[in-house]
Amino acid sequence: MACEACHGPGAKHAETADPAFITNPAKLPPLKAAEICLQCHGNQPERNGRVQSAHARNEISCLSCHAMHKGPERLLPIRASDINRLCATCHTAVWTQFMRPYKHRLDTGSMSCVDCHNPHGSFLPKMLATVAGNQIACFKCHGNLRGPFTYEHPPVKTEGCWRCHEPHGSQNPRMLVRADVRFVCLECHANIAVGKTIGGVPPAFHNLASPRFQNCTICHTKIHGSFVDPVLER
Amino acid sequence: MKILIALLLALPLAAQAPPAAGQTSTPPQNQQDQPAQQSPPDQTQTQAQDQLPAALADSTVTGVLDIGYRWVVDRNGDLNTYRSIVNLEEGFRVFGLNFLITPAPNKYVDRITVDAANWGDPYNTLRIFAQKGDVYRLNWTYLNTNYFNFLPSFADPTAATGFFFNQRGFDTRLKDNDLMLEFLPGKHVVPYVAYNRNSFAGSGTTNLVLQSNEYTFPTNYDDFTNLYRAGIRFDYVRWGLTLEGGEYNFHDAQQLPLTATFTGTPAGFTNFGNLTTPFLGQRLFLNSGDQSYGVRVHGFFTRGMFSARPVSWASLYAQFVFNQGTNEAHFGQLATGNIVNLANLVFYNTAGEVVNASAKQPHPSGSFGADIRPWKRIRFLEAFSADQLHDSTGAVETDTFLATGVPPNVSTTFSPQDYVVTYNRNEANVLFDATSWLTLRGGWRYEWGKIEAPTALALASLEAVEQSKLNRNVVLAGLVARANQKLRFTADFEGSSGNHVFFRTSLYDYQKGHVQVRYEPMPTLTLTGNFNILNNDNPFPTTYKFRYWDASASAYWTPKASRYTIMAEYSRPSYSSTIQFLNPSTLTPALSIYNLQGHEATALVDVAMLPAKVGIQPRISAGGSLFLSSGTRPERFYQPLGRAMIPFGKHVQWYGEWRWYGFHQPLFDIEGFRTNQLITGLRFLM
């Protein structure tokens, strides 16, 4: 690939050495710069969900993440820590969530943001990467939660894992969104939303004053879905 | 794996050839700044990579090998909590290995990148990338994570008595291998194959749940998934097409061993379970419990992705996926002890359960997108996606109760179920370049669908199926302002007044906003500020309010010629959730309130002790991270660190590091810990 593919006709620039006669994508508006890249890369499969991404909506240029002339590691970072550094420069609040006690191990360089997200866009929410065609990226590592289960727990497949977990990091054990398991469960299984939203049937009858029933998952051990039990106890 | 490590360590040596006369491989100048563990993200390391030669005439190896020894000193507090959160122990470690190998011209490979981290620790990875021009490209990622979770207060109904025993503990290992091999990369037609294997194995604690009581037993987890896929990519300037097919299979053989007892307990151990009082005048207990799962999942998927640029001002995208999984599950359970059958209120000494189940789950989805730029200042983004999941299942369960002197009680039930979800989304955005530095955006998203789910427990007197529908109109708006190349301001908003949603806590009547300012006054200094907010209310049938906001800022100052580099990030998150529910046993209204106000920060300051003109540059670094929260579950988690590095020549550096981990929860004092860790090591630069 020649320089002119990205920088446009360069003869006059070569004759005069005048920067005015050459296109510098780094100095173009983001969309214009992206258009240059997409001339060649626009039809690659990673970009199939591009128009649904927050990066496209907010005109994040390809050059924000890919440095063209600074070696292969800056062009296409492979090391998890390099990838994380790139993302953290904009997504500060997300990065600091990995400093919480219960988290995925991005802070040690064991995982990277692109293990779960496709920064070029996805037809799934939150620019999630896919596995097996159309399943959320969580199931790539947590294959035992993929199913199909004989008895699915609906929010897992409908709302996603983040309905109950904070995947970046949480102050709560098991990366739960609430401090106690029972309050995660009761947000749907609350007996008072019957007929409008799901999760209210049947009424739970457990005595929450007893410690036995304050830890729902000690009985409902297969909370992500069960192969054999409709109440997810085995 | 030890053999693999040894081979990897030797790999650069095998690839290395004597340098040509007058040529030396240049060590990265700033690689000494690489922390043994990356926290916060390491900017100086990437600077070093800037200086790597992109292509060299002869075989070269550049990179870093980072080995050392860790001491864990003065560890206090709860060991199980420490292992659940930090889990770093003493010993020799390969903290990092990162090589770029550029062999002498040959017909097999042009470039190999090897990146490994934390070997010897519970979380280790290996990534290998190799390419030969336009012949092939290979990516392999290996991830090995020890998942230990045995928090005393979690899933522990006996905690209030002072006896701590987590009934949902894990000491397991999650391994993931991901391999992808592309042929003819860069060509118009690119075939590829890929393989992923994921496994989860180890031990833990779980409960065998019987009627009116549950009994904790050790269990063995043992499952794996294989996923194979292959495809072909047609990549042209005007259009692209990817066709892919794949297959996955899953095997689960979890077991509670027969007559399972905990290590050290005598034979004949009686497990009284969590019910500590007599039930109908008798104490329920188990003498043995046995569960075994035999689950097989088989699935396949096909995917087609098409994109085109029929004209210079329009790009079109389309995707269709069909995924179908099936399962065949066999489950057996046998328990002996004093067991009640609630159907006839009779006590038995043996209870058996056999379940044979199957499911078939077709899951098609499709999407379409368009990026149209008909005029210079206007751009349309259109995206539509549709997804349907149908889980059709059936199970036959046979329960057997036996006791001396009592007729056997055997019952068989067949329960077919259907679970159906459809979800559709259409989103359209118009972007208008008001000026050369300001882009305005407005749009609309419409989401609709329905869900039919079996109830959690299909009691005869209640509905066997719950239904709900989704109908949500969302207004979208945003702007991007750019002042020269240095300042960028982004604002993003979406909101909906709500109509129908699947779950009580789904986004209903909500407003979500994001503002970001990014300023780069010079290439080596980046300042970023972010503000996010989300308000969500669902007044039906009664209170649900969720409020979230965070404000964050970061500064990265990484001048190449300076003696100082500074990286700092700070975030201030705030959550507040209030939801009403009926107390299940009394049906009286109650509120669940959850609050978090936090401070999260990371920082690293790195200083060269001598001016740059002096050849040897010892460096010291200090920083770390902290998390402080108040609210429902107040916590303090500190991870400060200090580091010193002294180079010995161009290729070897010594470093020493101190870290401190301190975790404290005022409401769960028993789960605190604190420890010092000392590391000394050598870093080899090639």
Side-chain angles (χ1 to χ4, degrees):
Chain A
M1 194 172 78
C3 308
E4 291 181 331
C6 302
H7 293 282
K12 206 166 180 180
H13 169 70
E15 287 169 10
T16 62
D18 184 347
F21 294 116
I22 195 73
T23 300
N24 183 353
K27 294 187 175 177
L28 291 175
L31 181 58
K32 295 289 181 196
E35 280 178 11
I36 292 173
C37 306
L38 293 172
Q39 289 175 48
C40 295
H41 298 283
N43 290 323
Q44 292 174 343
E46 304 83 49
R47 269 159 283 278
N48 203 272
R50 186 175 68 86
V51 295
Q52 304 199 37
S53 75
H55 284 171
R57 280 201 304 270
N58 292 309
E59 299 197 331
I60 303 299
S61 157
C62 311
L63 302 176
S64 298
C65 307
H66 301 286
M68 295 300 127
H69 304 298
K70 295 185 176 177
E73 292 293 326
R74 293 292 302 277
L75 178 64
L76 188 64
I78 292 174
R79 291 162 46 98
S81 54
D82 290 343
I83 296 168
N84 297 340
R85 178 195 58 79
L86 259 180
C87 303
T89 55
C90 287
H91 300 279
T92 311
V94 175
W95 175 252
T96 55
Q97 287 176 17
F98 291 106
M99 305 307 141
R100 296 177 183 180
Y102 308 100
K103 71 256 179 153
H104 280 106
R105 302 284 171 175
L106 273 76
D107 58 330
T108 60
S110 300
M111 293 178 67
S112 79
C113 307
V114 299
D115 287 334
C116 306
H117 297 280
N118 179 353
H120 301 112
S122 164
F123 70 92
L124 295 177
K126 303 175 188 294
M127 295 167 69
L128 272 182
T130 57
V131 60
N134 58 359
Q135 297 175 343
I136 55 176
C138 313
F139 296 141
K140 177 172 167 286
C141 291
H142 301 282
N144 53 349
L145 309 182
R146 168 190 276 129
F149 293 108
T150 313
Y151 303 100
E152 297 276 359
H153 191 196
V156 178
K157 295 284 166 68
T158 310
E159 298 278 284
C161 308
W162 50 95
R163 170 62 195 86
C164 302
H165 299 281
E166 291 187 273
H168 297 135
S170 170
Q171 67 166 354
N172 305 314
R174 308 290 164 95
M175 293 194 273
L176 289 174
V177 295
R178 300 289 175 264
D180 292 294
V181 173
R182 63 184 185 276
F183 293 123
V184 178
C185 305
L186 284 167
E187 292 197 347
C188 289
H189 300 286
N191 300 334
I192 50 181
V194 178
K196 184 78 171 177
T197 55
I198 68 170
V201 176
F205 48 81
H206 300 307
N207 176 13
L208 290 185
S210 165
R212 271 181 76 197
F213 302 114
Q214 292 173 359
N215 299 272
C216 309
T217 51
I218 64 171
C219 290
H220 302 282
T221 56
K222 302 293 181 184
I223 197 65
H224 301 102
S226 170
F227 289 106
V228 293
D229 186 30
V231 291
L232 314 181
E233 288 181 343
R234 47 192 148 263
Chain B
M1 272 304 154
K2 289 174 183 170
I3 295 171
L4 184 61
I5 296 172
L7 285 173
L8 284 168
L9 292 173
L11 193 58
L13 304 175
Q16 196 170 25
Q23 182 191 7
T24 55
S25 60
T26 309
Q29 296 300 308
N30 290 335
Q31 292 265 10
Q32 63 269 31
D33 299 331
Q34 180 187 10
Q37 280 186 304
Q38 182 248 349
S39 175
D42 190 351
Q43 192 125 352
T44 51
Q45 196 169 32
T46 307
Q47 280 182 11
Q49 283 154 357
D50 294 353
Q51 299 164 20
L52 294 179
L56 296 173
D58 206 345
S59 172
T60 59
V61 177
T62 53
V64 180
L65 170 62
D66 198 346
I67 57 175
Y69 194 92
R70 178 193 292 120
W71 289 269
V72 177
V73 182
D74 199 21
R75 182 166 58 200
N76 295 295
D78 183 60
L79 177 62
N80 285 323
T81 305
Y82 172 80
R83 289 201 62 197
S84 300
I85 293 176
V86 180
N87 208 12
L88 297 175
E89 297 296 336
E90 281 192 353
F92 175 79
R93 302 286 185 266
V94 179
F95 290 112
L97 181 154
N98 177 232
F99 287 111
L100 170 62
I101 303 164
T102 314
N106 66 77
K107 58 183 179 182
Y108 300 111
V109 64
D110 292 335
R111 182 163 76 98
I112 303 172
T113 302
V114 180
D115 178 41
N118 306 323
W119 283 83
D121 277 335
Y123 325 106
N124 44 70
T125 57
L126 172 66
R127 294 168 201 258
I128 293 180
F129 172 87
Q131 181 163 8
K132 172 61 186 175
D134 53 10
V135 179
Y136 74 87
R137 182 160 52 205
L138 173 77
N139 262 303
W140 177 41
T141 301
Y142 171 76
L143 171 69
N144 177 7
T145 299
N146 175 211
Y147 178 54
F148 181 92
N149 199 304
F150 204 84
L151 292 169
S153 69
F154 187 81
D156 186 357
T158 61
T161 67
F163 177 70
F164 294 97
F165 192 80
N166 184 322
Q167 300 185 356
R168 290 287 293 154
F170 292 92
D171 187 3
T172 53
R173 200 159 276 282
L174 192 157
K175 294 182 182 178
D176 193 69
N177 269 287
D178 198 40
L179 179 71
M180 183 165 185
L181 179 60
E182 295 170 275
F183 302 98
L184 309 175
K187 299 283 191 183
H188 288 307
V189 181
V190 183
Y192 62 89
V193 292
Y195 169 64
N196 177 265
R197 181 181 173 87
N198 166 257
S199 65
F200 183 77
S203 57
T205 52
T206 193
N207 279 348
L208 192 156
V209 184
L210 294 176
Q211 296 179 16
S212 296
N213 204 353
E214 57 280 348
Y215 308 87
T216 307
F217 282 97
T219 187
N220 294 323
Y221 296 97
D222 180 14
D223 65 61
F224 63 82
T225 305
N226 289 311
L227 191 152
Y228 311 86
R229 61 192 173 96
I232 187 164
R233 209 167 68 214
F234 300 89
D235 191 359
Y236 291 88
V237 171
R238 289 281 184 199
W239 62 276
L241 174 67
T242 300
L243 300 171
E244 182 179 282
E247 185 263 348
Y248 54 90
N249 57 67
F250 167 78
H251 173 224
D252 183 1
Q254 184 186 345
Q255 278 204 326
L256 265 73
L258 185 65
T259 62
T261 56
F262 292 104
T263 307
T265 56
F269 170 77
T270 300
N271 187 332
F272 288 102
N274 289 333
L275 182 67
T276 54
T277 54
F279 183 84
L280 296 178
Q282 295 194 31
R283 190 74 194 268
L284 300 176
F285 62 87
L286 284 193
N287 293 124
S288 71
D290 171 27
Q291 275 186 348
S292 71
Y293 293 79
V295 178
R296 298 279 191 285
V297 167
H298 176 256
F300 69 90
F301 63 95
T302 55
R303 176 161 69 164
M305 287 184 282
F306 177 73
S307 60
R309 289 167 61 92
V311 289
S312 63
W313 48 270
S315 304
L316 306 173
Y317 304 89
Q319 176 173 226
F320 178 76
V321 183
F322 182 78
N323 182 326
Q324 179 168 289
T326 57
N327 82 39
E328 212 174 280
H330 306 285
F331 171 78
Q333 176 176 292
L334 184 67
T336 62
N338 192 30
I339 300 159
V340 67
N341 180 1
L342 292 177
N344 56 6
L345 294 179
V346 173
F347 289 86
Y348 295 89
N349 1 75
T350 303
E353 181 179 329
V354 175
V355 183
N356 291 296
S358 64
K360 183 176 181 180
Q361 190 176 88
H363 181 192
S365 56
S367 65
F368 168 80
D371 179 353
I372 299 171
R373 304 167 295 277
W375 300 286
K376 192 177 175 184
R377 291 184 165 208
I378 293 188
R379 180 183 178 204
F380 296 99
L381 295 177
E382 158 65 26
F384 168 79
S385 62
D387 189 272
Q388 183 179 46
L389 185 145
H390 182 182
D391 196 37
S392 179
T393 74
V396 178
E397 176 179 335
T398 302
D399 294 299
T400 305
F401 292 89
L402 302 172
T404 309
V406 178
N409 183 302
V410 180
S411 63
T412 299
T413 54
F414 172 63
S415 49
Q417 286 193 347
D418 279 298
Y419 164 56
V420 185
V421 184
T422 59
Y423 171 77
N424 306 287
R425 182 177 68 173
N426 189 65
E427 179 175 321
N429 281 281
V430 181
L431 287 80
F432 174 60
D433 288 332
T435 68
S436 61
W437 55 270
L438 177 65
T439 303
L440 304 174
R441 175 169 58 82
W444 166 73
R445 182 192 302 138
Y446 178 51
E447 296 167 278
W448 71 103
K450 66 175 183 177
I451 183 168
E452 290 180 12
T455 56
L457 187 61
L459 299 178
S461 57
L462 294 164
E463 291 283 335
V465 175
E466 286 184 287
Q467 293 182 329
S468 181
K469 61 182 179 179
L470 171 66
N471 197 334
R472 186 161 55 206
N473 284 284
V474 183
V475 173
L476 309 168
L479 68 86
V480 179
R482 301 167 296 271
N484 56 56
Q485 299 294 313
K486 296 179 177 176
L487 181 64
R488 179 187 168 92
F489 176 84
T490 308
D492 202 351
F493 170 83
E494 65 178 70
S496 172
S497 58
N499 197 345
H500 293 282
V501 291
F502 288 154
F503 299 92
R504 271 187 87 191
T505 51
S506 303
L507 291 176
Y508 185 80
D509 182 359
Y510 79 100
Q511 303 83 42
K512 187 158 90 172
H514 171 224
V515 174
Q516 182 183 77
V517 182
R518 188 178 165 91
Y519 181 47
E520 295 180 62
M522 56 187 84
T524 55
L525 177 60
T526 304
L527 304 170
T528 308
N530 284 283
F531 180 76
N532 292 290
I533 187 166
L534 169 64
N535 292 331
N536 183 29
D537 291 86
N538 188 348
F540 182 87
T542 180
T543 309
Y544 172 58
K545 292 177 187 292
F546 181 78
R547 304 284 180 268
Y548 169 82
W549 63 263
D550 72 61
S552 62
S554 66
Y556 302 92
W557 188 47
T558 54
K560 287 181 181 176
S562 169
R563 291 168 58 186
Y564 306 94
T565 62
I566 299 172
M567 290 174 284
E569 289 132 346
Y570 170 74
S571 178
R572 169 83 170 90
S574 172
Y575 297 71
S576 167
S577 169
T578 305
I579 189 165
Q580 191 174 53
F581 64 94
L582 295 186
N583 192 318
S585 53
T586 61
L587 295 182
T588 51
L591 280 181
S592 166
I593 298 172
Y594 177 76
N595 288 307
L596 182 156
Q597 283 79 44
H599 299 273
E600 299 159 346
T602 70
L604 188 71
V605 178
D606 183 80
V607 182
M609 300 302 290
L610 299 171
K613 59 186 177 187
V614 180
I616 294 177
Q617 281 212 1
R619 302 182 78 91
I620 58 169
S621 310
S625 71
L626 64 83
F627 170 68
L628 307 175
S629 72
S630 59
T632 307
R633 190 182 181 106
E635 286 175 359
R636 293 172 193 165
F637 187 32
Y638 300 100
Q639 303 174 73
L641 68 89
R643 184 184 301 136
M645 184 280 299
I646 301 172
F648 294 101
K650 288 183 177 178
H651 298 288
V652 181
Q653 299 171 348
W654 168 88
Y655 66 89
E657 182 181 293
W658 164 81
R659 280 178 188 252
W660 192 71
Y661 293 91
F663 182 64
H664 176 59
Q665 301 176 96
L667 300 181
F668 298 90
D669 248 349
I670 191 169
E671 289 182 350
F673 63 81
R674 59 214 167 274
T675 184
N676 288 283
Q677 293 190 354
L678 300 174
I679 291 173
T680 184
L682 292 173
R683 179 166 298 152
F684 300 93
L685 307 173
M686 295 187 188

